[in-house]
């Protein structure tokens, strides 16, 4: 996923670097003297020499904040008074917020929160303005990082808003150049091209959203929709031959596999299956286009081997989720087949309403590469069929994600194998067969436990070890 975002952003960057950036006129903004003064001072603080004593720097910031607060309380955001002044003051608050946002001190973090919140309050209702877009997205990204430090649970809002701002602003061919306020006041920053700055800010947004998504996928609908749109355009280019199938295809496939997590977390099995199958299709087409010589040495291609293993893992996780979902329904509704049928209807409706299905363009092409075709399980025979396919995929993935090379993935896959046996046992009615499956789980987990190092190196490994 991250590699794909990087790929998209780098391609965009290459285009932007070829564009001629017109110099922004000093008259583009009309900032009054008081507001211009605090803006310039905020940049002085931002770029103060590193050897300046912290106490001296903080004293200067404190004096500046007092001036800024006076101006802030005299600004009526509801009245559209000089917006240029509001942008200047918002940028000053943003600059000061950046000074505190990396701190670990709680008082500093509270100051950063105040500054960044004040920044957005000043820009409220006009974040899409080309004078405000860069500062708005930058502040939203930083507020997200603060929310993580304060361990706030509802931390989707800032990044989702930043993503929406970027998408709305750039979703036209000739979107206006953002105004980079630093350029207007004669400050030379490392990057001065406003469109490149916007691109970089958006990349930060996507990276943070991606990290959030991989940790907790279930409530990331907006992110999934946006990523879906990015992928859909690329897939259409591939299918119609506008783009060749090269090594970059692996990043697309891996992103599709990652997107299946959201659908599995929300019991949307048709969409999850579709994403994984399309990922496989992209890999298959890449292989088809290789020369005979390259096909012969494909097992040496690290990207291919990784994508192949992640595909197997994704199918395995799909099968486990399917077994879990229907085992619960089966347990609740034994001998109530009509209720099971009702549940199927609800799922189909939910799937259609999700509005995230890939185009029918690929539907027929996916039939021969879909590893697990089922989206529902109505009886023990169905469960056994999914069980066999799921174990096959998980064992395939485990051949790549070994205990020596990737203990975390190895352990996760082992836990899924254990879960697969557990959920099949839920369909079994014969006690001896249930016991046999649970014994198989114990053996599987015991074997994995022995593979862990004597000294566990990080908290993540420790958590997985405890689960095993």
């Amino acid at each position: 996923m991250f590699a794909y975002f990087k790929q998209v952003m780098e391609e965009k960057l290459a285009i932007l670097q070829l564009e001629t950036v017109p110099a922004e006129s000093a008259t583009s903004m009309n900032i009054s003297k008081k507001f211009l003064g605090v803006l310039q001072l905020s940049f002085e603080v931002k770029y103060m020499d590193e050897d300046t004593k912290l106490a001296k720097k903080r004293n200067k910031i404190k004096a500046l904040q007092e001036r800024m607060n006076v101006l802030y309380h005299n600004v009526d955001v509801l009245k559209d008074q000089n917006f240029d002044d509001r942008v200047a003051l918002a940028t000053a608050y943003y600059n000061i917020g950046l000074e505190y946002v990396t701190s670990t001190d709680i008082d500093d973090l509270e100051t950063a929160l105040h500054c960044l919140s004040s920044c957005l309050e000043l820009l409220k209702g006009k974040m899409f303005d080309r004078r405000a877009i860069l500062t708005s997205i930058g502040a939203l990204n930083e507020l997200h990082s603060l929310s993580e430090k304060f361990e706030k649970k509802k931390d989707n809002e800032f990044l989702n808003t930043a993503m929406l701002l970027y998408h709305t602003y750039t979703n036209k061919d000739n979107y206006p150049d953002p105004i980079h306020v630093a350029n207007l006041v004669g400050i030379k920053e490392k990057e001065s091209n406003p469109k490149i700055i916007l691109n970089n800010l958006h990349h930060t947004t996507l990276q943070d959203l991606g990290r959030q998504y991989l940790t907790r996928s279930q409530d990331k609908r907006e992110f999934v929709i946006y990523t879906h749109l990015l992928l859909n355009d690329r897939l259409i280019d591939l299918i119609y031959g506008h783009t060749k199938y090269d090594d970059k295809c692996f990043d697309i496939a891996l992103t599709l596999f990652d997107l299946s997590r959201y659908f599995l977390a929300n019991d949307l099995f048709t969409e999850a299956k579709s994403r994984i199958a399309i990922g496989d299709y992209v890999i298959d087409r890449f292989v088809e286009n290789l020369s005979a010589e390259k096909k012969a040495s494909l097992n040496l291609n690290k990207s291919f081997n990784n994508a192949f293993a992640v595909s197997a893992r994704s199918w395995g996780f799909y099968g486990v989720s399917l077994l879990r979902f229907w085992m619960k329904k089966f347990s609740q509704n034994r001998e109530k087949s009509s209720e099971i049928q009702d549940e199927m209807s609800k799922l189909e409706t939910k799937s259609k309403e999700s509005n995230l299905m890939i185009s029918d363009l690929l539907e027929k092409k996916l039939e021969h590469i879909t590893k697990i075709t089922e989206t529902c399980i109505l009886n023990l025979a169905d469960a056994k069929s999914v069980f066999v396919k799921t174990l096959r995929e998980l064992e395939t993935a485990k051949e790549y994600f070994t205990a020596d090379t990737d203990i975390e993935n190895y352990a996760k896959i082992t836990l899924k194998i254990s879960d697969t046996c557990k959920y099949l046992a839920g369909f079994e009615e014969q006690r001896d067969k249930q016991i046999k499956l649970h014994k198989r789980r114990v053996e599987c987990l015991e074997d994995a436990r022995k593979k862990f190092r004597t000294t566990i190196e990080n908290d993540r490994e420790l958590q997985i070890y405890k689960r095993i």
Side-chain angles (χ1 to χ4, degrees), residues 258-270:
D258 281 336
L259 285 188
S260 69
R261 296 183 183 207
Y262 166 81
F263 298 106
L264 291 179
N266 289 283
D267 302 325
L268 294 166
F269 297 109
T270 302

Side-chain angles (χ1 to χ4, degrees), residues 190-407:
K190 188 175 180 181
E191 180 56 66
S192 60
N193 184 324
K195 283 191 174 180
I196 291 178
I197 294 169
L198 181 61
N199 193 62
N200 293 341
L201 287 169
H202 184 54
H203 192 191
T204 299
T205 303
L206 290 181
Q207 285 179 311
D208 288 344
L209 276 168
R211 279 189 284 271
Q212 265 195 354
Y213 175 80
L214 294 179
T215 302
R216 189 183 68 251
S217 306
Q218 190 170 18
D219 61 345
K220 300 299 183 295
R221 178 176 171 79
E222 292 83 359
F223 173 69
V224 170
I225 291 172
Y226 182 76
T227 307
H228 168 91
L229 292 172
L230 288 179
L231 283 169
N232 228 24
D233 291 341
R234 192 62 57 94
L235 286 168
I236 289 170
D237 286 343
L238 285 170
I239 293 162
Y240 285 113
H242 301 149
T243 305
K244 66 178 182 178
Y245 288 86
D246 55 19
D247 283 359
K248 292 180 180 179
C249 291
F250 293 125
D251 294 336
I252 295 173
L254 291 171
T255 305
L256 285 161
F257 298 148
D258 281 336
L259 285 188
S260 69
R261 296 183 183 207
Y262 166 81
F263 298 106
L264 291 179
N266 289 283
D267 302 325
L268 294 166
F269 297 109
T270 302
E271 284 93 339
K273 183 179 70 170
S274 170
R275 294 309 178 287
I276 303 169
I278 294 169
D280 281 352
Y281 173 79
V282 170
I283 295 171
D284 279 7
R285 287 299 308 274
F286 168 79
V287 174
E288 282 178 17
N289 285 276
L290 290 177
S291 64
E293 183 182 352
K294 287 186 176 179
K295 281 182 183 177
S297 61
L298 197 58
N299 63 321
L300 301 177
N301 187 319
K302 290 182 180 179
S303 297
F304 171 79
N305 289 334
N306 179 64
F308 182 79
V310 175
S311 167
R313 185 185 66 188
S314 300
W315 281 118
F317 286 14
Y318 172 85
V320 177
S321 297
L322 195 65
L323 284 165
R324 171 194 52 77
F325 179 84
W326 288 104
M327 183 273 291
K328 288 182 179 178
K329 298 299 175 187
F330 190 79
S331 300
Q332 293 167 6
N333 302 302
R334 285 183 188 274
E335 300 178 1
K336 296 180 182 179
S337 59
S338 61
E339 292 188 24
I340 291 284
Q341 293 293 342
D342 288 344
E343 196 63 44
M344 285 177 61
S345 299
K346 287 178 187 176
L347 272 183
E348 288 171 3
T349 303
K350 187 178 179 183
S351 176
K352 289 173 184 175
E353 288 175 349
S354 73
N355 198 31
L356 279 172
M357 292 292 291
I358 293 281
S359 163
D360 293 337
L361 193 63
L362 286 171
E363 193 170 339
K364 290 184 179 179
K365 297 180 180 181
L366 300 179
E367 290 175 359
H368 72 287
I369 57 175
T370 302
K371 305 286 181 61
I372 302 176
T373 56
E374 292 87 349
T375 54
C376 63
I377 299 171
L378 299 182
N379 51 49
L380 179 59
D382 290 347
K384 284 182 176 179
S385 174
V386 173
F387 173 80
V388 170
K389 295 171 186 175
T390 300
L391 279 189
R392 181 181 62 219
E393 296 303 318
L394 291 173
E395 291 294 348
T396 298
K398 209 162 69 163
E399 290 175 10
Y400 179 84
F401 298 110
T402 66
D404 293 329
T405 60
D406 191 335
I407 186 65

